[in-house]
Amino acid sequence: MKVYTCNNCHNPLYFENSICLNCGYAVGFDPTALTMLTLEPESGYKYCRNAEYAVCNWLIPATSESGFCIACTLNRVIPSLEDNANRLRWKNMEVAKHRLIYSLLRLHLPFEVTCPGKTESIIFDFMADSPNGEHVMTGHDNGIITINIAEADEAQRTRNKQDLGERYRTLLGHFRHEIGHFYWDVLIRDRPVIDKYRQLFGDERKDYSAALATYYSNGAPADWDQRFVSPYATSHPWEDWAETWAHYLHMMDTLETAWSFGISVDPVELDESAGISASIPKDPYKMKDFNRLIRRWLPLCFAVNSMNRSMGHPDFYPFILSSPVIEKLRFIHGLGNA
């Protein structure tokens, strides 16, 4: 994520700001120019309709008839807003979703794909468990991404993380994982690259339901970290792709943030042979050479993990990327930089 400033007073802005806290001007994000704008009466922009609920600060042309921005247009189902707790959960969902959409725009990825006999488009359903106990499963199905809004409750998400023995579980991570299934359809299915995909991730034609049942019964193999980015990635080649795709988005967005702040890693007590120095001289989204990205990502993770530990927090990035995982990430990067 880039660093933004108010056009009026040049005060730094967070991506989610709708008001500059320094000068009080209204600000919003223009998804066409990918920048924050300070609104003037003659600016030609207005807020997305969901700004009414304080869940969106994206801008649309003042003449727009739809009323919704490119991110909110993708919503099909939102939770009932009669419940105040749901309003907060929905806001958390939208914060994560808008950051996801930003990354997709930066990667110039399409929001729909034509498949044999049909067209798939990204659709979001944000749903709650029913009063009769029917559970909403988070998942993807032909472009439809369903997320249980309980994941937007930090306490519930932490319980889920502990129950499943996960190292990392965030709302943004859910979005990045589930959208990965959609982009498998966009970038891999029925394309020549599927052979290379199968070499790296495995044959996705194996029975998906049976594979998941085996995973939930037996767990991941003891040596999973030698070939996979997470235990869940071992369950099926589709899940390996989605997990690795999510990590690719983690890497790109975080490196862009570090680049925007001019962050470099150069430990004063270690010489160059330690291999944990790095500077980020260029926008990562414009780097075609994956080696340049990974050489910056690993030292940055080590540095920020160390800072988190200094504050008594868990690691910022609690993963070790093996050589096979790095090759999978390289493959994903190459799909958009051929």
PDB file of all heavy atoms in Angstrom, residues 113-147:
ATOM      1  N   VAL A 113     -14.173 -13.859 -15.855  1.00  0.00           N
ATOM      2  CA  VAL A 113     -13.507 -14.751 -16.786  1.00  0.00           C
ATOM      3  C   VAL A 113     -14.574 -15.526 -17.537  1.00  0.00           C
ATOM      4  O   VAL A 113     -15.590 -15.931 -16.962  1.00  0.00           O
ATOM      5  CB  VAL A 113     -12.544 -15.714 -16.057  1.00  0.00           C
ATOM      6  CG1 VAL A 113     -13.274 -16.558 -15.012  1.00  0.00           C
ATOM      7  CG2 VAL A 113     -11.813 -16.623 -17.044  1.00  0.00           C
ATOM      8  N   THR A 114     -14.346 -15.718 -18.831  1.00  0.00           N
ATOM      9  CA  THR A 114     -15.254 -16.515 -19.642  1.00  0.00           C
ATOM     10  C   THR A 114     -14.754 -17.946 -19.678  1.00  0.00           C
ATOM     11  O   THR A 114     -13.625 -18.215 -20.101  1.00  0.00           O
ATOM     12  CB  THR A 114     -15.354 -15.949 -21.067  1.00  0.00           C
ATOM     13  OG1 THR A 114     -15.852 -14.609 -20.997  1.00  0.00           O
ATOM     14  CG2 THR A 114     -16.301 -16.793 -21.909  1.00  0.00           C
ATOM     15  N   CYS A 115     -15.581 -18.857 -19.195  1.00  0.00           N
ATOM     16  CA  CYS A 115     -15.275 -20.280 -19.170  1.00  0.00           C
ATOM     17  C   CYS A 115     -16.169 -20.968 -20.186  1.00  0.00           C
ATOM     18  O   CYS A 115     -17.125 -20.372 -20.696  1.00  0.00           O
ATOM     19  CB  CYS A 115     -15.528 -20.857 -17.773  1.00  0.00           C
ATOM     20  SG  CYS A 115     -14.710 -19.952 -16.447  1.00  0.00           S
ATOM     21  N   PRO A 116     -15.883 -22.225 -20.515  1.00  0.00           N
ATOM     22  CA  PRO A 116     -16.756 -22.929 -21.451  1.00  0.00           C
ATOM     23  C   PRO A 116     -18.215 -22.894 -21.014  1.00  0.00           C
ATOM     24  O   PRO A 116     -18.580 -23.427 -19.985  1.00  0.00           O
ATOM     25  CB  PRO A 116     -16.203 -24.361 -21.417  1.00  0.00           C
ATOM     26  CG  PRO A 116     -14.756 -24.189 -21.072  1.00  0.00           C
ATOM     27  CD  PRO A 116     -14.731 -23.038 -20.111  1.00  0.00           C
ATOM     28  N   GLY A 117     -19.029 -22.192 -21.799  1.00  0.00           N
ATOM     29  CA  GLY A 117     -20.459 -22.168 -21.534  1.00  0.00           C
ATOM     30  C   GLY A 117     -20.931 -21.188 -20.480  1.00  0.00           C
ATOM     31  O   GLY A 117     -22.126 -21.132 -20.182  1.00  0.00           O
ATOM     32  N   LYS A 118     -20.021 -20.396 -19.891  1.00  0.00           N
ATOM     33  CA  LYS A 118     -20.457 -19.477 -18.845  1.00  0.00           C
ATOM     34  C   LYS A 118     -19.407 -18.389 -18.619  1.00  0.00           C
ATOM     35  O   LYS A 118     -18.270 -18.486 -19.091  1.00  0.00           O
ATOM     36  CB  LYS A 118     -20.694 -20.222 -17.527  1.00  0.00           C
ATOM     37  CG  LYS A 118     -19.461 -20.895 -16.959  1.00  0.00           C
ATOM     38  CD  LYS A 118     -19.764 -21.588 -15.630  1.00  0.00           C
ATOM     39  CE  LYS A 118     -18.510 -22.279 -15.086  1.00  0.00           C
ATOM     40  NZ  LYS A 118     -18.758 -22.924 -13.779  1.00  0.00           N
ATOM     41  N   THR A 119     -19.817 -17.370 -17.890  1.00  0.00           N
ATOM     42  CA  THR A 119     -18.914 -16.306 -17.469  1.00  0.00           C
ATOM     43  C   THR A 119     -18.933 -16.216 -15.957  1.00  0.00           C
ATOM     44  O   THR A 119     -20.008 -16.157 -15.354  1.00  0.00           O
ATOM     45  CB  THR A 119     -19.327 -14.949 -18.077  1.00  0.00           C
ATOM     46  OG1 THR A 119     -19.233 -15.028 -19.503  1.00  0.00           O
ATOM     47  CG2 THR A 119     -18.415 -13.832 -17.574  1.00  0.00           C
ATOM     48  N   GLU A 120     -17.767 -16.257 -15.340  1.00  0.00           N
ATOM     49  CA  GLU A 120     -17.653 -16.112 -13.890  1.00  0.00           C
ATOM     50  C   GLU A 120     -17.234 -14.691 -13.555  1.00  0.00           C
ATOM     51  O   GLU A 120     -16.319 -14.151 -14.169  1.00  0.00           O
ATOM     52  CB  GLU A 120     -16.607 -17.081 -13.318  1.00  0.00           C
ATOM     53  CG  GLU A 120     -17.012 -18.532 -13.303  1.00  0.00           C
ATOM     54  CD  GLU A 120     -15.940 -19.404 -12.670  1.00  0.00           C
ATOM     55  OE1 GLU A 120     -15.049 -18.860 -11.988  1.00  0.00           O
ATOM     56  OE2 GLU A 120     -15.988 -20.628 -12.867  1.00  0.00           O
ATOM     57  N   SER A 121     -17.901 -14.089 -12.597  1.00  0.00           N
ATOM     58  CA  SER A 121     -17.542 -12.765 -12.103  1.00  0.00           C
ATOM     59  C   SER A 121     -17.367 -12.828 -10.595  1.00  0.00           C
ATOM     60  O   SER A 121     -18.007 -13.642  -9.921  1.00  0.00           O
ATOM     61  CB  SER A 121     -18.634 -11.744 -12.448  1.00  0.00           C
ATOM     62  OG  SER A 121     -18.827 -11.661 -13.845  1.00  0.00           O
ATOM     63  N   ILE A 122     -16.508 -11.963 -10.057  1.00  0.00           N
ATOM     64  CA  ILE A 122     -16.321 -11.907  -8.616  1.00  0.00           C
ATOM     65  C   ILE A 122     -17.593 -11.377  -7.961  1.00  0.00           C
ATOM     66  O   ILE A 122     -18.103 -10.315  -8.326  1.00  0.00           O
ATOM     67  CB  ILE A 122     -15.137 -10.999  -8.247  1.00  0.00           C
ATOM     68  CG1 ILE A 122     -13.836 -11.536  -8.850  1.00  0.00           C
ATOM     69  CG2 ILE A 122     -15.006 -10.872  -6.735  1.00  0.00           C
ATOM     70  CD1 ILE A 122     -12.650 -10.598  -8.661  1.00  0.00           C
ATOM     71  N   ILE A 123     -18.114 -12.130  -7.016  1.00  0.00           N
ATOM     72  CA  ILE A 123     -19.292 -11.752  -6.243  1.00  0.00           C
ATOM     73  C   ILE A 123     -18.998 -12.054  -4.779  1.00  0.00           C
ATOM     74  O   ILE A 123     -18.460 -13.120  -4.464  1.00  0.00           O
ATOM     75  CB  ILE A 123     -20.545 -12.530  -6.692  1.00  0.00           C
ATOM     76  CG1 ILE A 123     -20.904 -12.176  -8.143  1.00  0.00           C
ATOM     77  CG2 ILE A 123     -21.727 -12.256  -5.764  1.00  0.00           C
ATOM     78  CD1 ILE A 123     -21.994 -13.057  -8.719  1.00  0.00           C
ATOM     79  N   PHE A 124     -19.341 -11.136  -3.893  1.00  0.00           N
ATOM     80  CA  PHE A 124     -19.121 -11.351  -2.469  1.00  0.00           C
ATOM     81  C   PHE A 124     -20.452 -11.516  -1.736  1.00  0.00           C
ATOM     82  O   PHE A 124     -21.360 -10.696  -1.887  1.00  0.00           O
ATOM     83  CB  PHE A 124     -18.357 -10.177  -1.847  1.00  0.00           C
ATOM     84  CG  PHE A 124     -16.933 -10.070  -2.302  1.00  0.00           C
ATOM     85  CD1 PHE A 124     -16.550  -9.112  -3.224  1.00  0.00           C
ATOM     86  CD2 PHE A 124     -15.968 -10.936  -1.806  1.00  0.00           C
ATOM     87  CE1 PHE A 124     -15.236  -9.008  -3.649  1.00  0.00           C
ATOM     88  CE2 PHE A 124     -14.651 -10.860  -2.222  1.00  0.00           C
ATOM     89  CZ  PHE A 124     -14.283  -9.892  -3.145  1.00  0.00           C
ATOM     90  N   ASP A 125     -20.527 -12.576  -0.953  1.00  0.00           N
ATOM     91  CA  ASP A 125     -21.647 -12.800  -0.040  1.00  0.00           C
ATOM     92  C   ASP A 125     -21.102 -12.793   1.383  1.00  0.00           C
ATOM     93  O   ASP A 125     -20.296 -13.668   1.753  1.00  0.00           O
ATOM     94  CB  ASP A 125     -22.325 -14.152  -0.305  1.00  0.00           C
ATOM     95  CG  ASP A 125     -23.138 -14.164  -1.589  1.00  0.00           C
ATOM     96  OD1 ASP A 125     -23.373 -13.078  -2.154  1.00  0.00           O
ATOM     97  OD2 ASP A 125     -23.545 -15.262  -2.023  1.00  0.00           O
ATOM     98  N   PHE A 126     -21.494 -11.816   2.180  1.00  0.00           N
ATOM     99  CA  PHE A 126     -21.092 -11.730   3.580  1.00  0.00           C
ATOM    100  C   PHE A 126     -22.292 -12.172   4.422  1.00  0.00           C
ATOM    101  O   PHE A 126     -23.284 -11.449   4.515  1.00  0.00           O
ATOM    102  CB  PHE A 126     -20.673 -10.314   3.942  1.00  0.00           C
ATOM    103  CG  PHE A 126     -19.549  -9.772   3.095  1.00  0.00           C
ATOM    104  CD1 PHE A 126     -19.465  -8.423   2.793  1.00  0.00           C
ATOM    105  CD2 PHE A 126     -18.562 -10.608   2.598  1.00  0.00           C
ATOM    106  CE1 PHE A 126     -18.425  -7.916   2.029  1.00  0.00           C
ATOM    107  CE2 PHE A 126     -17.521 -10.117   1.823  1.00  0.00           C
ATOM    108  CZ  PHE A 126     -17.456  -8.769   1.540  1.00  0.00           C
ATOM    109  N   MET A 127     -22.188 -13.343   5.019  1.00  0.00           N
ATOM    110  CA  MET A 127     -23.354 -13.961   5.631  1.00  0.00           C
ATOM    111  C   MET A 127     -23.082 -14.406   7.064  1.00  0.00           C
ATOM    112  O   MET A 127     -21.938 -14.670   7.435  1.00  0.00           O
ATOM    113  CB  MET A 127     -23.807 -15.157   4.788  1.00  0.00           C
ATOM    114  CG  MET A 127     -24.109 -14.799   3.341  1.00  0.00           C
ATOM    115  SD  MET A 127     -24.454 -16.234   2.295  1.00  0.00           S
ATOM    116  CE  MET A 127     -26.017 -16.761   2.999  1.00  0.00           C
ATOM    117  N   ALA A 128     -24.162 -14.500   7.840  1.00  0.00           N
ATOM    118  CA  ALA A 128     -24.078 -14.941   9.232  1.00  0.00           C
ATOM    119  C   ALA A 128     -24.743 -16.300   9.377  1.00  0.00           C
ATOM    120  O   ALA A 128     -25.627 -16.670   8.585  1.00  0.00           O
ATOM    121  CB  ALA A 128     -24.754 -13.928  10.153  1.00  0.00           C
ATOM    122  N   ASP A 129     -24.321 -17.060  10.384  1.00  0.00           N
ATOM    123  CA  ASP A 129     -24.999 -18.317  10.693  1.00  0.00           C
ATOM    124  C   ASP A 129     -26.471 -18.038  10.982  1.00  0.00           C
ATOM    125  O   ASP A 129     -26.824 -17.009  11.573  1.00  0.00           O
ATOM    126  CB  ASP A 129     -24.358 -18.985  11.916  1.00  0.00           C
ATOM    127  CG  ASP A 129     -22.932 -19.436  11.646  1.00  0.00           C
ATOM    128  OD1 ASP A 129     -22.580 -19.612  10.469  1.00  0.00           O
ATOM    129  OD2 ASP A 129     -22.178 -19.610  12.628  1.00  0.00           O
ATOM    130  N   SER A 130     -27.342 -18.946  10.569  1.00  0.00           N
ATOM    131  CA  SER A 130     -28.773 -18.745  10.775  1.00  0.00           C
ATOM    132  C   SER A 130     -29.141 -19.028  12.227  1.00  0.00           C
ATOM    133  O   SER A 130     -28.435 -19.760  12.933  1.00  0.00           O
ATOM    134  CB  SER A 130     -29.571 -19.667   9.850  1.00  0.00           C
ATOM    135  OG  SER A 130     -29.357 -21.017  10.211  1.00  0.00           O
ATOM    136  N   PRO A 131     -30.253 -18.453  12.711  1.00  0.00           N
ATOM    137  CA  PRO A 131     -30.681 -18.679  14.098  1.00  0.00           C
ATOM    138  C   PRO A 131     -30.944 -20.144  14.425  1.00  0.00           C
ATOM    139  O   PRO A 131     -30.836 -20.552  15.584  1.00  0.00           O
ATOM    140  CB  PRO A 131     -31.976 -17.851  14.188  1.00  0.00           C
ATOM    141  CG  PRO A 131     -31.832 -16.799  13.135  1.00  0.00           C
ATOM    142  CD  PRO A 131     -31.085 -17.463  12.021  1.00  0.00           C
ATOM    143  N   ASN A 132     -31.257 -20.947  13.389  1.00  0.00           N
ATOM    144  CA  ASN A 132     -31.521 -22.368  13.649  1.00  0.00           C
ATOM    145  C   ASN A 132     -30.258 -23.217  13.694  1.00  0.00           C
ATOM    146  O   ASN A 132     -30.317 -24.449  13.771  1.00  0.00           O
ATOM    147  CB  ASN A 132     -32.487 -22.937  12.604  1.00  0.00           C
ATOM    148  CG  ASN A 132     -31.915 -22.893  11.186  1.00  0.00           C
ATOM    149  OD1 ASN A 132     -30.713 -22.668  11.003  1.00  0.00           O
ATOM    150  ND2 ASN A 132     -32.753 -23.103  10.200  1.00  0.00           N
ATOM    151  N   GLY A 133     -29.108 -22.543  13.637  1.00  0.00           N
ATOM    152  CA  GLY A 133     -27.844 -23.253  13.784  1.00  0.00           C
ATOM    153  C   GLY A 133     -27.160 -23.635  12.501  1.00  0.00           C
ATOM    154  O   GLY A 133     -26.080 -24.240  12.519  1.00  0.00           O
ATOM    155  N   GLU A 134     -27.748 -23.278  11.349  1.00  0.00           N
ATOM    156  CA  GLU A 134     -27.120 -23.602  10.067  1.00  0.00           C
ATOM    157  C   GLU A 134     -25.866 -22.747   9.888  1.00  0.00           C
ATOM    158  O   GLU A 134     -25.921 -21.519   9.962  1.00  0.00           O
ATOM    159  CB  GLU A 134     -28.091 -23.361   8.922  1.00  0.00           C
ATOM    160  CG  GLU A 134     -27.539 -23.773   7.567  1.00  0.00           C
ATOM    161  CD  GLU A 134     -28.558 -23.575   6.453  1.00  0.00           C
ATOM    162  OE1 GLU A 134     -29.729 -23.251   6.762  1.00  0.00           O
ATOM    163  OE2 GLU A 134     -28.173 -23.738   5.285  1.00  0.00           O
ATOM    164  N   HIS A 135     -24.730 -23.407   9.654  1.00  0.00           N
ATOM    165  CA  HIS A 135     -23.441 -22.720   9.607  1.00  0.00           C
ATOM    166  C   HIS A 135     -23.108 -22.287   8.189  1.00  0.00           C
ATOM    167  O   HIS A 135     -23.289 -23.042   7.234  1.00  0.00           O
ATOM    168  CB  HIS A 135     -22.344 -23.646  10.132  1.00  0.00           C
ATOM    169  CG  HIS A 135     -20.978 -23.031  10.143  1.00  0.00           C
ATOM    170  ND1 HIS A 135     -20.658 -21.921  10.899  1.00  0.00           N
ATOM    171  CD2 HIS A 135     -19.834 -23.380   9.482  1.00  0.00           C
ATOM    172  CE1 HIS A 135     -19.386 -21.606  10.705  1.00  0.00           C
ATOM    173  NE2 HIS A 135     -18.876 -22.474   9.849  1.00  0.00           N
ATOM    174  N   VAL A 136     -22.634 -21.062   8.059  1.00  0.00           N
ATOM    175  CA  VAL A 136     -22.179 -20.537   6.771  1.00  0.00           C
ATOM    176  C   VAL A 136     -20.703 -20.875   6.606  1.00  0.00           C
ATOM    177  O   VAL A 136     -19.876 -20.517   7.454  1.00  0.00           O
ATOM    178  CB  VAL A 136     -22.385 -19.010   6.691  1.00  0.00           C
ATOM    179  CG1 VAL A 136     -21.727 -18.445   5.438  1.00  0.00           C
ATOM    180  CG2 VAL A 136     -23.870 -18.683   6.715  1.00  0.00           C
ATOM    181  N   MET A 137     -20.392 -21.564   5.529  1.00  0.00           N
ATOM    182  CA  MET A 137     -19.007 -21.943   5.252  1.00  0.00           C
ATOM    183  C   MET A 137     -18.330 -20.881   4.397  1.00  0.00           C
ATOM    184  O   MET A 137     -18.859 -20.478   3.356  1.00  0.00           O
ATOM    185  CB  MET A 137     -18.963 -23.293   4.528  1.00  0.00           C
ATOM    186  CG  MET A 137     -19.419 -24.467   5.370  1.00  0.00           C
ATOM    187  SD  MET A 137     -18.302 -24.787   6.764  1.00  0.00           S
ATOM    188  CE  MET A 137     -16.817 -25.274   5.882  1.00  0.00           C
ATOM    189  N   THR A 138     -17.185 -20.433   4.838  1.00  0.00           N
ATOM    190  CA  THR A 138     -16.372 -19.533   4.026  1.00  0.00           C
ATOM    191  C   THR A 138     -15.786 -20.322   2.869  1.00  0.00           C
ATOM    192  O   THR A 138     -15.251 -21.417   3.063  1.00  0.00           O
ATOM    193  CB  THR A 138     -15.257 -18.906   4.872  1.00  0.00           C
ATOM    194  OG1 THR A 138     -15.844 -18.047   5.854  1.00  0.00           O
ATOM    195  CG2 THR A 138     -14.285 -18.101   4.014  1.00  0.00           C
ATOM    196  N   GLY A 139     -15.904 -19.799   1.655  1.00  0.00           N
ATOM    197  CA  GLY A 139     -15.375 -20.536   0.512  1.00  0.00           C
ATOM    198  C   GLY A 139     -15.633 -19.825  -0.804  1.00  0.00           C
ATOM    199  O   GLY A 139     -16.154 -18.705  -0.850  1.00  0.00           O
ATOM    200  N   HIS A 140     -15.263 -20.512  -1.885  1.00  0.00           N
ATOM    201  CA  HIS A 140     -15.405 -19.979  -3.243  1.00  0.00           C
ATOM    202  C   HIS A 140     -16.144 -20.985  -4.107  1.00  0.00           C
ATOM    203  O   HIS A 140     -15.931 -22.198  -3.992  1.00  0.00           O
ATOM    204  CB  HIS A 140     -14.029 -19.707  -3.859  1.00  0.00           C
ATOM    205  CG  HIS A 140     -14.081 -19.441  -5.345  1.00  0.00           C
ATOM    206  ND1 HIS A 140     -13.919 -20.446  -6.271  1.00  0.00           N
ATOM    207  CD2 HIS A 140     -14.311 -18.296  -6.041  1.00  0.00           C
ATOM    208  CE1 HIS A 140     -14.023 -19.925  -7.489  1.00  0.00           C
ATOM    209  NE2 HIS A 140     -14.259 -18.637  -7.373  1.00  0.00           N
ATOM    210  N   ASP A 141     -17.011 -20.477  -4.969  1.00  0.00           N
ATOM    211  CA  ASP A 141     -17.749 -21.339  -5.895  1.00  0.00           C
ATOM    212  C   ASP A 141     -18.066 -20.553  -7.155  1.00  0.00           C
ATOM    213  O   ASP A 141     -18.952 -19.698  -7.158  1.00  0.00           O
ATOM    214  CB  ASP A 141     -19.042 -21.850  -5.245  1.00  0.00           C
ATOM    215  CG  ASP A 141     -19.828 -22.799  -6.146  1.00  0.00           C
ATOM    216  OD1 ASP A 141     -19.223 -23.365  -7.076  1.00  0.00           O
ATOM    217  OD2 ASP A 141     -21.047 -22.944  -5.935  1.00  0.00           O
ATOM    218  N   ASN A 142     -17.303 -20.827  -8.220  1.00  0.00           N
ATOM    219  CA  ASN A 142     -17.555 -20.199  -9.522  1.00  0.00           C
ATOM    220  C   ASN A 142     -17.621 -18.668  -9.433  1.00  0.00           C
ATOM    221  O   ASN A 142     -18.523 -18.036  -9.987  1.00  0.00           O
ATOM    222  CB  ASN A 142     -18.853 -20.737 -10.130  1.00  0.00           C
ATOM    223  CG  ASN A 142     -18.767 -22.214 -10.452  1.00  0.00           C
ATOM    224  OD1 ASN A 142     -17.766 -22.693 -10.987  1.00  0.00           O
ATOM    225  ND2 ASN A 142     -19.795 -22.971 -10.093  1.00  0.00           N
ATOM    226  N   GLY A 143     -16.676 -18.077  -8.752  1.00  0.00           N
ATOM    227  CA  GLY A 143     -16.595 -16.625  -8.647  1.00  0.00           C
ATOM    228  C   GLY A 143     -17.280 -16.052  -7.435  1.00  0.00           C
ATOM    229  O   GLY A 143     -17.033 -14.900  -7.070  1.00  0.00           O
ATOM    230  N   ILE A 144     -18.171 -16.834  -6.801  1.00  0.00           N
ATOM    231  CA  ILE A 144     -18.890 -16.356  -5.624  1.00  0.00           C
ATOM    232  C   ILE A 144     -18.046 -16.641  -4.381  1.00  0.00           C
ATOM    233  O   ILE A 144     -17.751 -17.795  -4.081  1.00  0.00           O
ATOM    234  CB  ILE A 144     -20.264 -17.033  -5.492  1.00  0.00           C
ATOM    235  CG1 ILE A 144     -21.115 -16.759  -6.738  1.00  0.00           C
ATOM    236  CG2 ILE A 144     -20.976 -16.539  -4.230  1.00  0.00           C
ATOM    237  CD1 ILE A 144     -22.384 -17.580  -6.793  1.00  0.00           C
ATOM    238  N   ILE A 145     -17.675 -15.589  -3.687  1.00  0.00           N
ATOM    239  CA  ILE A 145     -16.852 -15.719  -2.486  1.00  0.00           C
ATOM    240  C   ILE A 145     -17.739 -15.450  -1.280  1.00  0.00           C
ATOM    241  O   ILE A 145     -18.246 -14.347  -1.107  1.00  0.00           O
ATOM    242  CB  ILE A 145     -15.665 -14.759  -2.530  1.00  0.00           C
ATOM    243  CG1 ILE A 145     -14.731 -15.146  -3.688  1.00  0.00           C
ATOM    244  CG2 ILE A 145     -14.905 -14.756  -1.206  1.00  0.00           C
ATOM    245  CD1 ILE A 145     -13.663 -14.137  -3.976  1.00  0.00           C
ATOM    246  N   THR A 146     -17.937 -16.492  -0.487  1.00  0.00           N
ATOM    247  CA  THR A 146     -18.758 -16.385   0.713  1.00  0.00           C
ATOM    248  C   THR A 146     -17.847 -16.324   1.926  1.00  0.00           C
ATOM    249  O   THR A 146     -16.944 -17.152   2.068  1.00  0.00           O
ATOM    250  CB  THR A 146     -19.700 -17.599   0.837  1.00  0.00           C
ATOM    251  OG1 THR A 146     -20.519 -17.679  -0.337  1.00  0.00           O
ATOM    252  CG2 THR A 146     -20.588 -17.474   2.070  1.00  0.00           C
ATOM    253  N   ILE A 147     -18.083 -15.347   2.782  1.00  0.00           N
ATOM    254  CA  ILE A 147     -17.304 -15.239   4.013  1.00  0.00           C
ATOM    255  C   ILE A 147     -18.263 -15.091   5.185  1.00  0.00           C
ATOM    256  O   ILE A 147     -19.159 -14.240   5.172  1.00  0.00           O
ATOM    257  CB  ILE A 147     -16.319 -14.062   3.966  1.00  0.00           C
ATOM    258  CG1 ILE A 147     -15.291 -14.287   2.850  1.00  0.00           C
ATOM    259  CG2 ILE A 147     -15.611 -13.886   5.307  1.00  0.00           C
ATOM    260  CD1 ILE A 147     -14.186 -13.267   2.776  1.00  0.00           C
TER     261      ILE A 147
END
